[in-house]
Amino acid sequence: MVFSANSAIVLNNKALIAKMGAEPRRKESEHFARWFTEQGFEVAELEKIGKPYMFCEGNAEFSPTYDLSRYFFGWGQRTAESACEPVLDFFSLDKKDVFKVRLIDEKFYHLDVCMAPLSLGHVMLYPGAFDDASLKTIYEALGSRDDVIELTLEEGLQFSCNCVSFISNNEEAVVVAPHFSDRLRNILQNLGYKCVAIDYDQFLLSGGAVRCSVVDIAQKRNV
């Protein structure tokens, strides 16, 4: 259960518990549901409110911009497109603010391994993970290509998008990832980010990295 990003989609003190596609992981959901309930979250389980075919692996497929003004929902590998509907309903999100994007490369099986909104408003992504229509949707939703950092295939496979980005207590914009190429590090530093690489090799053997191990339970949108 180390990959807690798969546990649920969490927003505004509400948690929609994931429905895992892989049978060995489905037992995790009951433990996550109990934990979120004990912490005072309003909890719903996709297993109970969705259709049988509605698999969705939590925050791994739900990527808000840092200001929580737009939301990207990944589908096509381990999550069903139709699972977006109960997400919209449970969190009372406006359809115009949520953008469904299709993942087409099995090596990039979750949205959080190929797309990463950053704390200064930029977005890192590996373009080859998306179909053409979805890539167009992302750029149109963001409004400008200037804020997009496109990763190479090598950088994508190094799980550089599977990062955590935040503003530290001393107001530094920090990006924590398992790896930064020299090219990517230079781009991010020039944009004002502090890059922190940590050894995640053993977790990478299981197919996950930094972002996979984090679920942001404090996300709140002003409405």
Side-chain angles (χ1 to χ4, degrees):
M1 293 176 64
V2 68
F3 296 138
S4 58
N6 304 146
S7 64
I9 294 175
V10 184
L11 182 67
N12 291 341
N13 294 320
K14 301 173 75 173
L16 179 59
I17 305 301
K19 180 178 181 180
M20 305 290 188
E23 181 67 34
R25 295 198 65 188
R26 291 181 189 169
K27 288 289 186 180
E28 295 179 28
S29 295
E30 62 187 74
H31 300 289
F32 285 125
R34 183 173 64 251
W35 186 89
F36 280 108
T37 300
E38 290 172 349
Q39 303 307 310
F41 286 79
E42 180 183 342
V43 173
E45 298 180 49
L46 189 57
E47 176 70 36
K48 296 178 180 178
I49 69 171
K51 304 295 184 183
Y53 50 82
M54 287 183 175
F55 295 102
C56 179
E57 302 203 342
N59 262 14
E61 302 286 29
F62 187 74
S63 188
T65 53
Y66 195 77
D67 62 359
L68 300 181
S69 64
R70 287 148 293 175
Y71 305 82
F72 297 92
F73 182 87
W75 66 278
Q77 296 296 318
R78 299 186 182 178
T79 290
E81 181 182 15
S82 57
C84 188
E85 294 306 315
V87 173
L88 290 169
D89 293 342
F90 182 63
F91 293 105
S92 301
L93 295 173
D94 193 319
K95 283 188 176 181
K96 69 177 178 59
D97 296 329
V98 180
F99 304 90
K100 293 187 288 185
V101 292
R102 184 184 180 192
L103 307 180
I104 59 172
D105 188 329
E106 64 182 10
K107 295 185 293 295
F108 298 93
Y109 45 83
H110 284 151
L111 187 60
D112 67 359
V113 300
C114 54
M115 182 179 186
L118 304 179
S119 58
L120 296 180
H122 305 93
V123 172
M124 290 198 304
L125 61 81
Y126 169 60
F130 305 92
D131 66 13
D132 291 341
S134 296
L135 202 56
K136 181 180 179 182
T137 293
I138 292 169
Y139 282 119
E140 289 178 348
L142 296 174
S144 172
R145 285 180 175 261
D146 295 338
D147 293 331
V148 177
I149 304 163
E150 292 190 352
L151 272 60
T152 65
L153 173 59
E154 182 180 8
E155 291 164 343
L157 292 174
Q158 291 168 337
F159 274 45
S160 295
C161 273
N162 199 245
C163 64
V164 174
S165 179
F166 59 92
I167 303 296
S168 69
N169 289 337
N170 58 358
E171 298 187 351
E172 284 186 306
V174 180
V175 181
V176 182
H179 186 84
F180 298 94
S181 67
D182 291 340
R183 184 195 79 94
L184 183 57
R185 185 184 296 273
N186 288 336
I187 290 173
L188 291 171
Q189 288 178 341
N190 288 336
L191 290 171
Y193 294 96
K194 177 182 179 180
C195 297
V196 179
I198 60 175
D199 183 359
Y200 237 68
D201 288 351
Q202 292 303 307
F203 294 97
L204 285 166
L205 293 174
S206 297
V210 182
R211 184 74 231 179
C212 292
S213 304
V214 175
V215 57
D216 188 349
I217 62 174
Q219 289 189 130
K220 293 182 180 180
R221 182 180 186 181
N222 293 324
V223 292

